[in-house]
Structures are given as C-alpha cells and as structure tokens.
Amino acid sequence: MMNGEAKNGSGLAAKLARPNILELQPYRCARDDYSEGVLLDANENALGPTSVPSNSLDPYDNHLVLERYPDPYQITLKEKYAAYRGHGLSHANIFCGVGSDEAIDLLIRIFCKPGVDNILITPPTYGMYTVCAKTNDVEVKACPLSESFDLRVSETLESANAQTKLLFICSPGNPTSKAISLSEIEKVAASSRYEGIVVVDEAYVDFSDKGSAVSLTQKYPNIVVLQTLSKAFGLAGIRCGFAIGASDVIQLMNNVKAPYNVNSMTSEVAINAVNSIDTLTKNVSTILEQRDSVVKKLNSLSFVVKVFSSDSNFLLFRIKEKAKEVYTTMAARGVVVRYRGNELHCFECLRVTIGTAEENQKFLELLIKTYEDLT
C-alpha cells in the first residue's frame, strides 16, 4: 500500500518517481484481504504439493551446495519439463522464472517501447498484465470477451494496431474459469491482421481437457505459452513458472532476466514435482471430482442464478443479490471466497476455489446460512 506522503506528493519518493508509477494501482492479491480461515480465494491446490524439498537436516546434507549460486538457466529442470510437456520441446524453448509474473514483465520490457507501444488484453482477465504494462509505461488496450466468456476473434484483431506488440489470452481464464479453444487461438496467431506475439496464459491448463497451446508453438513462432507450478502442482509457495515458445524469444528473456532468478531450493522442489506426475494426476482427478460435486450442489440452490462452466480448479457463480455482503460475511465467519462482482460480465458473482471435501462442505453450508441471514 502507498503511504500518505507518497500518495499526496509530499515525500521524496513522490518527487523522484516516474508519474506512471505514482498513478499505478497495484495488483491486489487474495492475501491482501484475508489470511485466516478456510481459504478458498486464491485458486491454490488444497490437496497440497506434488512434491516437497529433500530432507537436508537429519542427517545434515548440503547436497544443494547452498553457498554457491544456482544454475542461472536451470537446464536440468527445463529438460525435464520439456519432456513432460512434449510436442518436440527442448530446454531452448523454455524460460524458467519466478512464477508466470516474471515472464509477463519480461515480455513487456523486451517487446514494448515505453510511451509508444501497447499490449492488448481480453477482460475479464488476470490483473497483472495491466500492472506490468503500467509499471513499464506501456498503454493497455482492451477487447472484452463475450458475455459467455468467449474470445471475439474478429473484434480482438480489429482492436490491435501497429503498436500492439503483445496480445494476452488467459486460458483457462481468471476469473472466467473457461478455456479458449485452440482453434480460436490459432485463428489469431495465423491472422495477417496482427503481427505481434500471442501470449497464452495457461496457469490452470492441467485442470482442462481442452488441450494446451504448447501444441501450436512449433507451428506458430509468434505464440508464447505461460505455465506455472502454482496451481495443479500445488507449489504456489515456491514461485516457479515457465514461458514456452520459439528459441529466439526465449533467448531474449534469458538475456534480460536477473542472473540467478530461480534459487536452488525452488529448482530442487520443481524437479521433484516434475518427477512425480502420478501424484499430480491423482490430485487433479480428486479436485475435478470435488468440482463436479460442488457444481451439482450450487445448481440446486434457489438463490444461485448461474454456475459458469469450468475448466479450472475454481468456479465462478452468480447469485441473485448481495454478493459482496455474502463475501464479507462469510469471510468474517471463517470461509473466504473471492468477490468478483466488480469485473466485466461478473455482476453479483463470487469465485470459489475447489478445496478438500471437508472445506467444500463448510463452504456450501456457510454460503446457504449466510445468504439466508442476509436476505
């Protein structure tokens, strides 16, 4: 949060900082609002991590040689991740960074001239695209999804201009939970009407049966796919993400990144996780079963107007009224979801992460009780 001096222009920071930074509305993450209770607000994997760090204390084992800097390019991790994702990928096609957010920021810094170029987003969508663009003094253009959260291909292409260097497509979307079909993404990538890069953000792809745009990267060098270990792999705490694309794009990202952006402990856990795909598959299956169960229950509630189709580990649903009051009251009573009613096409909508069976039951019971109390 910005303190009073910086905000009011009376402090040293306000006198020296760039105007676009002073005007920046920072990304508001789930933990800015609540950090206790049944946390079903950040789309984390409540079943836990796919893997954990190796035991290094009993007996003492400094196998990571922590007094030394880590591999600056994480070749071993990239090779294993490339083999897992397939489609002819090699380590040269993969950038490894601090979550997907580092890759978003790098792409904007590399391809967009401040004050000249722009990015194009398709709201409602992930807020960090705008934050990173504004931080780098890059204009943000927008072409909204349809009310059913489909990509409007023709309108999106018309919204781009010669200065549009990056087009961000979140699929499956946040907060929409809906995947954009690969055929629609391919239409954009193949169009002569847009000459920039198509960035497909696939944070939730492992919960979807619609396929990954990684399958398009060999055919279309203008597609870059973002993925993360934070969601299905259950490793939000290690902050590890990937950009997948043409080797020349990935090389530029490696050239610009900080020298040792991924630490040795993160790298070890990530490698352990990619070696534990059976656990990943089991956890994803359990979450999808729980998702179907929660959808069925929500659809049976008279005050739930719509449960949007989901390709993710969360649900977006609309209630008749008082969504924000329901959200704040539920949080005060111990179950935290996310209010999304301020997003485009999301009037009176709440977003809930699929948790454990016990957490989901607590959510449903409290949702019913809270709505009854408020109406």
Side-chain angles (χ1 to χ4, degrees), residues 322-357:
K322 298 187 177 181
K324 191 165 189 178
E325 291 91 334
V326 169
Y327 155 69
T328 55
T329 304
M330 287 183 66
R333 294 176 175 179
V335 175
V336 186
V337 298
R338 203 89 192 263
Y339 172 67
R340 298 286 76 176
N342 54 351
E343 300 273 358
L344 183 67
H345 304 325
C346 297
F347 178 70
E348 296 289 9
C349 281
L350 297 171
R351 191 193 74 191
V352 60
T353 307
I354 300 302
T356 64

Side-chain angles (χ1 to χ4, degrees), residues 29-78:
C29 67
R31 293 303 150 259
D32 287 327
D33 298 318
Y34 299 98
S35 58
E36 296 180 351
V38 177
L39 301 175
L40 301 177
D41 57 340
N43 300 341
E44 298 154 325
N45 186 335
L47 301 185
T50 302
S51 187
V52 295
S54 300
N55 187 347
S56 301
L57 292 178
D58 186 17
Y60 178 85
D61 176 10
N62 184 26
H63 65 281
L64 293 179
V65 196
L66 292 179
E67 69 273 21
R68 302 298 182 190
Y69 288 112
D71 177 357
Y73 301 112
Q74 300 297 325
I75 300 299
T76 300
L77 173 56
K78 290 178 181 179

Side-chain angles (χ1 to χ4, degrees), residues 53-267:
S54 300
N55 187 347
S56 301
L57 292 178
D58 186 17
Y60 178 85
D61 176 10
N62 184 26
H63 65 281
L64 293 179
V65 196
L66 292 179
E67 69 273 21
R68 302 298 182 190
Y69 288 112
D71 177 357
Y73 301 112
Q74 300 297 325
I75 300 299
T76 300
L77 173 56
K78 290 178 181 179
E79 288 177 342
K80 288 184 176 295
Y81 197 75
Y84 167 58
R85 290 303 184 190
H87 299 291
L89 295 176
S90 74
H91 70 83
N93 299 118
I94 299 178
F95 168 83
C96 184
V98 183
S100 298
D101 296 331
E102 181 181 9
I104 293 167
D105 182 65
L106 282 176
L107 288 168
I108 292 173
R109 285 198 282 145
I110 290 168
F111 291 105
C112 298
K113 293 181 181 178
V116 177
D117 293 327
N118 65 73
I119 69 167
L120 178 59
I121 63 173
T122 56
T125 193
Y126 182 43
M128 278 304 293
Y129 311 140
T130 294
V131 171
C132 289
K134 294 295 186 182
T135 299
N136 290 289
D137 200 16
V138 170
E139 179 188 2
V140 179
K141 297 170 68 67
C143 181
L145 300 173
S146 70
E147 291 188 7
S148 57
F149 302 136
D150 292 315
L151 184 69
R152 300 184 299 147
V153 174
S154 180
E155 291 87 345
T156 299
L157 291 170
E158 289 176 2
S159 298
N161 59 27
Q163 285 71 49
T164 306
K165 299 302 174 63
L166 301 168
L167 163 58
F168 287 91
I169 300 174
C170 195
S171 177
N174 180 14
T176 70
S177 75
K178 185 174 185 177
I180 304 299
S181 70
L182 295 183
S183 62
E184 298 295 272
I185 292 171
E186 187 167 11
K187 288 177 184 177
V188 176
S191 176
S192 61
R193 298 159 62 188
Y194 174 61
E195 298 182 351
I197 292 174
V198 181
V199 184
V200 186
D201 190 344
E202 293 187 340
Y204 304 96
V205 70
D206 295 295
F207 300 105
S208 173
D209 61 3
K210 304 298 193 299
S212 168
V214 169
S215 63
L216 301 175
T217 56
Q218 299 296 321
K219 183 177 181 180
Y220 298 98
N222 59 333
I223 291 180
V224 173
V225 179
L226 306 182
Q227 296 182 347
T228 180
L229 300 186
S230 295
K231 306 303 181 182
F233 281 87
L235 291 169
I238 72 169
R239 307 303 298 126
C240 184
F242 306 94
I244 302 167
S247 59
D248 59 338
V249 173
I250 300 304
Q251 184 60 58
L252 288 180
M253 298 180 75
N254 284 328
N255 292 349
V256 175
K257 76 174 184 65
Y260 307 104
N261 58 327
V262 176
N263 68 70
S264 297
M265 291 176 286
T266 288
S267 179

